[in-house]
Amino acid sequence: MARQYFGTDGIRGRVNTPPMTAESALRLAIAAARTFAPNGGREVVIGRDTRRSGQMIEAALIAGLTSMGLKPVLLGIVPTPTVALMTRETGAALGLMVSASHNKSDDNGIKLFSPAGIKLTDAEEEALEAAMASAFEGDFAPPPAISTPHHMKGATTLYLERCLETVGTDIDFSGLKIVLDCAHGAAYEVGPAALRQLGADVTIIGDTPDGLNINAGVGSTATGLLKSTVTETGADIGIAFDGDADRVIVIDELGEEVDGDQVMALIAGELHRANRLKGGGMVATIMSNMGLAEYLKGLDLTLARTKVGDRYVGEHMRQHGFNLGGEQSGHIILSDVSTTGDGLLAALQVLKTLASSDLPASSIMRVFEPAPQKLINIPFNGSNPLESAGVGDALTQADELLGERGRMVVRKSGTEPLIRVMAEALDDELMHRALSLVVAAVRAEA
């Protein structure tokens, strides 16, 4: 069915514009109550990031849930993985995170988690879509059953403890000089607390949220300030989160950004050497570099690929027994601890390796030689350019050109009005020829 509300990762959009309105949040809450807790009486965990609009969306969710006799449990400002954790720890009927992740403050969104703390399947989202259309019809809770929300304390402390447990006590972090960029987002308190508790020398940026500055010139999609701060302070490494801290970007001591595939390769290698990697390899998406697959092959490990979206990665991990997976963009799932992408948890694994090594970050983070790859985002208005004959012909020509020596990945973004065109090949010139062919066709239709 055509989706009116849900994209790649929950519901997301410009605030006060469909689908991201208070009415949409109200409809979602009522529909979710009828779908996941039709008898009422159960708890629903809610967290949010630092956006000013977060409280408005949260209020609409509270109204819908309480009107159906459900009990909202408010965590306040927390990273997305904290919501996933507390949903399964409390036995809640559902978890809701109010965030638009790496988007700027004009946008907001809602991510949903099942009682097991995992993101909803396509089928579950489609059921919610259908239920939202008729949300204002049907029965509501009788007046005595209308519930009231309550604030939960200690969620951040528990989340922090779970993350720090993965580091152990035998590694000395006191020699590490780290710059941490919290994106003025959800991890602005817990991120610094984790690194200081480990004894590292930490410089913090992006830790003064005002409701409007989330991801503004800071964070995982704007690493310029982090890069310059790393080099100016002589830091060993830089770490950036996005707005809801389910994603991590690493900057080495030279001020160079480390690709997410390299981060996953590093973690995979460490887990493999410790005999803790499950499933005989790891899971990534169609966007991950061919070099990652070649590196894993050299360790007699496999790389399974899924559609773009960490929920698809997570689904494949659960179905096939993997405990490591992620996206090139920095969403990394370590399922022995967390059920969703977790920026802090992934960062700690990188820092643990760096702290125990005599090599600089620029050395340990260059795990494999990447195949030439480039991604171009093309804005579009109106109809989907990928449905045009011209783009289809260009894709056919590009595939013939690449043959077995490369691949094209062209898709419509699930969170923004963009067409993402990615080309990859063993030869740089070949990659650019194929990319130019398809980009020109998409731009002509966009």
Side-chain angles (χ1 to χ4, degrees):
M1 61 177 285
R3 292 186 172 221
Q4 179 182 352
Y5 296 101
F6 286 89
T8 304
D9 194 8
I11 300 173
R12 189 181 304 184
R14 185 178 175 85
V15 175
N16 284 341
T17 302
M20 200 61 253
T21 64
E23 179 185 329
S24 297
L26 182 61
R27 285 183 178 273
L28 174 66
I30 295 169
R34 291 188 178 130
T35 303
F36 294 100
N39 297 319
R42 297 189 63 187
E43 293 184 335
V44 175
V45 172
I46 305 177
R48 57 184 170 87
D49 67 20
T50 57
R51 292 163 217 268
R52 179 178 293 178
S53 61
Q55 290 178 293
M56 177 187 78
I57 301 301
E58 181 185 64
L61 292 172
I62 291 171
L65 294 170
T66 55
S67 74
M68 297 299 297
L70 271 68
K71 304 172 183 178
V73 177
L74 308 182
L75 305 185
I77 296 172
V78 294
T80 286
T82 306
V83 173
L85 171 66
M86 298 312 300
T87 300
R88 66 180 191 270
E89 288 287 326
T90 61
L94 197 67
L96 301 169
M97 177 66 185
V98 182
S99 174
S101 193
H102 62 274
N103 294 30
K104 299 288 176 57
S105 64
D106 284 353
D107 292 348
N108 215 327
I110 304 171
K111 300 181 181 184
L112 297 92
F113 294 92
S114 76
I118 60 179
K119 291 183 178 178
L120 303 188
T121 64
D122 286 337
E124 288 170 326
E125 288 184 349
E126 288 170 6
L128 274 180
E129 283 265 358
M132 286 173 71
S134 58
F136 297 156
E137 304 168 13
D139 296 331
F140 291 82
I146 294 173
S147 60
T148 56
H150 72 272
H151 295 267
M152 173 180 283
K153 297 180 179 180
T156 299
T157 300
L158 178 61
Y159 168 67
L160 178 59
E161 290 174 353
R162 292 289 174 85
C163 289
L164 291 176
E165 284 172 0
T166 67
V167 176
T169 58
D170 58 340
I171 298 177
D172 183 12
F173 280 73
S174 63
L176 276 187
K177 193 171 184 179
I178 305 167
V179 181
L180 178 64
D181 181 351
C182 300
H184 298 308
Y188 81 100
E189 290 183 324
V190 69
L195 300 188
R196 285 170 176 151
Q197 193 163 323
L198 290 169
D201 179 356
V202 190
T203 299
I204 311 295
I205 60 177
D207 64 334
T208 55
D210 62 11
L212 300 175
N213 62 357
I214 188 170
N215 300 315
V218 290
S220 62
T221 55
T223 56
L225 178 60
L226 177 59
K227 291 175 179 177
S228 61
T229 306
V230 167
T231 55
E232 288 168 5
T233 61
D236 298 303
I237 195 169
I239 300 292
F241 300 135
D242 62 347
D244 65 336
D246 67 348
R247 174 178 172 184
V248 65
I249 296 294
V250 177
I251 306 298
D252 68 22
E253 84 284 0
L254 303 177
E256 298 294 327
E257 185 168 322
V258 179
D259 187 86
D261 284 340
Q262 298 281 4
V263 177
M264 290 190 288
L266 176 72
I267 296 173
E270 291 296 310
L271 289 175
H272 176 60
R273 284 184 282 274
N275 293 315
R276 291 171 44 223
L277 188 67
K278 300 175 183 176
M282 60 164 289
V283 184
T285 74
I286 55 175
M287 302 301 286
S288 279
N289 194 278
M290 294 169 65
L292 174 59
E294 292 300 310
Y295 166 73
L296 293 171
K297 188 184 299 183
L299 298 176
D300 292 325
L301 301 172
T302 61
L303 177 66
R305 293 185 185 272
T306 72
K307 293 191 293 185
V308 172
D310 67 333
R311 68 192 179 102
Y312 298 115
V313 172
E315 284 178 14
H316 194 91
M317 291 171 64
R318 290 187 295 275
Q319 291 169 0
H320 300 280
F322 294 91
N323 65 342
L324 173 64
E327 295 189 281
Q328 190 182 50
S329 58
H331 293 104
I332 298 175
I333 304 173
L334 291 140
S335 63
D336 287 339
V337 182
S338 182
T339 54
T340 191
D342 193 324
L344 176 58
L345 182 61
L348 291 177
Q349 310 319 300
V350 172
L351 295 173
K352 178 180 178 180
T353 302
L354 182 61
S356 60
S357 172
D358 294 328
L359 297 173
S362 58
S363 293
I364 71 165
M365 300 302 302
R366 299 301 186 268
V367 182
F368 63 86
E369 185 64 32
Q373 183 189 83
K374 189 169 183 179
L375 170 67
I376 292 182
N377 294 315
I378 304 172
F380 73 96
N381 293 307
S383 61
N384 183 355
L386 301 186
E387 298 173 352
S388 71
V391 173
D393 290 342
L395 282 168
T396 299
Q397 294 176 47
D399 287 339
E400 292 174 352
L401 180 65
L402 291 169
E404 297 295 321
R405 302 182 65 215
R407 62 195 184 100
M408 295 288 310
V409 178
V410 183
R411 67 182 185 90
K412 179 183 175 186
S413 170
T415 58
E416 301 170 89
L418 298 172
I419 300 297
R420 305 194 193 279
V421 182
M422 188 274 280
E424 181 179 61
L426 299 177
D427 176 82
D428 188 70
E429 180 182 356
L430 181 63
M431 181 271 290
H432 278 98
R433 285 171 59 195
L435 182 67
S436 297
L437 189 67
V438 176
V439 166
V442 174
R443 282 179 172 158
E445 300 291 338

